Amino acid sequence: MVDRLANSEANTRRISIVENCFGAAGQPLTIPGRVLIGEGVLTKLCRKKPKARQFFLFNDILVYGNIVIQKKKYNKQHIIPLENVTIDSIQDEGDLRNGWLIKTPTKSFAVYAATATEKSEWMNHINKCVSDLLSKSGKTPSNEHAAVWVPDSEATVCMRCQKAKFTPVNRRHHCRKCGFVVCGPCSEKRFLLPSQSSKPVRICDFCYDLLSTGEMTACQSTRSDSYSQSPKSSLNDVSDDDEDDEDSSD
């Protein structure tokens, strides 16, 4: 079906509409062989709080952005190559239901659908696209992924020293290796994580010590993987939602 739609006029028109919705700030999306599989609004677990984001699934990429005017205008476009994606289901917890993790070497995050059926359809389509891409390219699935950032609301004190309380003055920071919420003194060091940034990024002291001694696998937090059992970019030094991020110098 994808091959049949690849060069169809209807598919070209649909992709053009998506491009226009992002405007001049968005990247061109029309390339030979690209097919728009589906679209919809998902709730993305951002640093501050869950937020609605518009997602577009193509046969080779996943695109999402902020909703300015539903069906008409979106901004802050983000494009994720599907061949680098792995997904894991998340168990329901409270108001956060029908969710799954989208994991890539560059960034990882949780999203939630409105219904269990919608979740199933999204996950099935994503898995099918990834499987088809890997089959055609002969590549193996990615076994490296960035940590999922723990939301600010889940940490009132530093998750490393367990002592520093967060206040408007004592700010929260995120370790780019484990995703934990940590205080400034526990995250003064930086380390080069090539999959996430071309320059050294902020990491906590615990991860820095393990990375410095070569124990990189031990450094990978189980926090992001725990979403699978119990509930929960651009290559730069911040997460994807500018209004939720630490500033770029952080």
Side-chain angles (χ1 to χ4, degrees):
M1 177 177 151
V2 170
D3 292 337
R4 177 169 56 82
L5 291 173
N7 298 311
S8 72
E9 190 174 315
N11 177 66
T12 301
R13 185 167 59 251
R14 291 177 67 201
I15 296 179
S16 178
I17 291 173
V18 175
E19 285 184 336
N20 291 336
C21 285
F22 278 103
Q27 295 297 312
L29 298 173
T30 302
I31 65 169
R34 177 168 289 164
V35 175
L36 178 58
I37 305 296
E39 61 184 89
V41 177
L42 298 173
T43 298
K44 181 177 178 292
L45 195 61
C46 300
R47 176 183 169 183
K48 297 291 186 183
K49 61 182 179 180
K51 295 185 178 182
R53 296 288 183 257
Q54 180 72 29
F55 281 77
F56 299 92
L57 176 63
F58 296 83
N59 60 327
D60 62 335
I61 58 174
L62 183 66
V63 178
Y64 70 94
N66 295 4
I67 301 170
V68 180
I69 303 174
Q70 183 64 44
K71 299 291 185 182
K72 291 185 178 180
K73 186 176 181 181
Y74 310 109
N75 63 12
K76 297 183 180 177
Q77 182 192 72
H78 299 276
I79 300 176
I80 302 174
L82 283 178
E83 66 178 14
N84 296 328
V85 169
T86 56
I87 59 176
D88 288 322
S89 181
I90 307 171
Q91 291 185 11
D92 296 343
E93 181 186 23
D95 293 334
L96 295 176
R97 307 179 66 82
N98 309 313
W100 68 97
L101 292 177
I102 296 174
K103 303 189 294 185
T104 80
T106 303
K107 73 187 296 73
S108 302
F109 54 90
V111 293
Y112 297 84
T115 66
T117 299
E118 187 179 343
K119 169 186 174 178
S120 178
E121 291 177 348
W122 271 100
M123 292 189 70
N124 288 339
H125 284 307
I126 291 173
N127 275 327
K128 180 65 165 59
C129 289
V130 173
S131 177
D132 288 348
L133 280 172
L134 294 177
S135 177
K136 290 179 180 178
S137 67
K139 296 180 180 179
T140 56
S142 175
N143 58 7
E144 177 189 1
H145 59 83
V148 178
W149 282 21
V150 176
D152 285 2
S153 59
E154 293 193 19
T156 57
V157 299
C158 174
M159 297 178 71
R160 285 305 182 195
C161 70
Q162 300 290 323
K163 296 176 181 178
K165 293 184 178 180
F166 296 120
T167 67
V169 176
N170 188 30
R171 299 176 55 217
R172 291 172 171 83
H173 305 278
H174 277 84
C175 171
R176 271 57 173 181
K177 181 61 180 175
C178 68
F180 277 19
V181 183
V182 290
C183 64
C186 284
S187 58
E188 292 179 338
K189 298 181 176 65
R190 292 175 179 265
F191 200 93
L192 181 63
L193 302 177
S195 65
Q196 295 188 40
S197 176
S198 59
K199 61 182 180 180
V201 294
R202 178 187 289 270
I203 61 174
C204 67
D205 291 348
F206 177 78
C207 288
Y208 182 84
D209 290 342
L210 291 176
L211 286 165
S212 298
T213 56
E215 300 179 43
M216 294 187 69
T217 54
C219 179
Q220 181 63 53
S221 166
T222 58
R223 172 70 192 189
S224 62
D225 294 327
S226 71
Y227 276 88
S228 304
Q229 293 85 32
S230 63
K232 186 184 178 181
S233 81
S234 55
L235 299 179
N236 52 33
D237 190 23
V238 295
S239 77
D240 61 298
D241 297 288
D242 293 344
E243 70 273 25
D244 290 330
D245 296 341
E246 300 163 7
D247 59 58
S248 58
S249 62
D250 196 355

